[in-house]
């Protein structure tokens, strides 16, 4: 199977939306969703994540991710959901998050960030924001 054929149904009852657990792609075969919470992933988020330029949903919550969010992530301009809760991600919360104008959900809760929260005036579609520890 290629990356566009690997998924299971994962039901999110909150907004009555159904997501696929795994990787989902659009009709052209471009990755649009990576949903892998509590999947035992460990390591840093690679800068190559920026190559997934059509990514809309990135849910890597409850894994063993550490290190900083790479600056290359700033190229993911179509992100609607970025969920990194309950990892060991550190550094400062990046200013580039404010460029994700389509972002609706952002969860960075229970990580190891330090410093001040960035100003995020352009995130007008945001419905869920969690920076708590």
């Amino acid at each position: 199977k290629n990356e566009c054929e690997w998924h299971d149904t994962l039901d999110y009852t909150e907004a009555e939306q159904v997501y696929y657990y795994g990787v989902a792609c659009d009709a052209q075969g471009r990755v649009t969703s990576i949903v892998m919470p509590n999947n035992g992933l460990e390591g840093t988020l690679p800068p190559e994540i920026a190559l997934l330029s059509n990514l809309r949903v990135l849910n890597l919550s409850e894994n063993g991710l550490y290190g900083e969010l790479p600056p290359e992530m700033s190229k993911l301009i179509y992100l609607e959901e970025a969920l990194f809760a309950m990892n060991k991600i550190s550094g400062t919360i990046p200013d580039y998050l404010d460029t994700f104008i389509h972002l609706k959900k952002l969860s960075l809760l229970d990580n190891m960030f330090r410093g001040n929260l960035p100003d995020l005036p352009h995130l007008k579609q945001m419905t869920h924001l969690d920076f708590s520890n």
Side-chain angles (χ1 to χ4, degrees):
K1 289 185 175 185
N2 69 34
E3 66 273 4
C4 296
E5 297 173 341
W6 181 79
H7 54 77
D8 289 322
T9 301
L10 178 65
D11 196 9
Y12 276 59
T13 57
E14 246 179 56
E16 296 187 44
Q17 296 175 333
V18 175
Y19 290 99
Y20 289 106
Y21 185 89
V23 178
C25 300
D26 63 15
Q28 290 76 37
R30 297 175 297 206
V31 175
T32 58
S33 174
I34 299 174
V35 178
M36 294 186 186
N38 198 18
N39 201 51
L41 301 175
E42 292 190 18
T44 60
L45 196 61
E48 291 81 9
I49 192 80
L51 297 174
L52 302 175
S53 59
N54 289 294
L55 196 62
R56 294 188 184 326
V57 176
L58 182 57
N59 182 348
L60 299 176
S61 295
E62 298 181 63
N63 280 292
L65 300 179
Y66 56 85
E68 298 185 8
L69 293 175
E72 292 83 1
M73 265 189 69
S74 65
K75 296 177 182 169
L76 301 177
I77 60 172
Y78 297 110
L79 266 183
E80 296 175 10
E81 296 186 20
L83 308 174
F84 296 101
M86 295 183 265
N87 279 288
K88 300 171 194 162
I89 301 171
S90 60
T92 59
I93 296 172
D95 291 336
Y96 64 72
L97 292 176
D98 193 47
T99 64
F100 298 156
I101 61 171
H102 302 286
L103 201 60
K104 296 174 184 166
K105 293 183 181 182
L106 175 62
S107 181
L108 301 175
L109 95 112
D110 286 341
N111 278 285
M112 303 170 72
F113 290 104
R114 64 182 184 285
N116 296 323
L117 294 176
D119 192 22
L120 304 170
H122 298 104
L123 301 184
K124 300 189 186 315
Q125 295 188 39
M126 185 70 64
T127 60
H128 177 90
L129 179 64
D130 196 348
F131 292 120
S132 61
N133 268 342

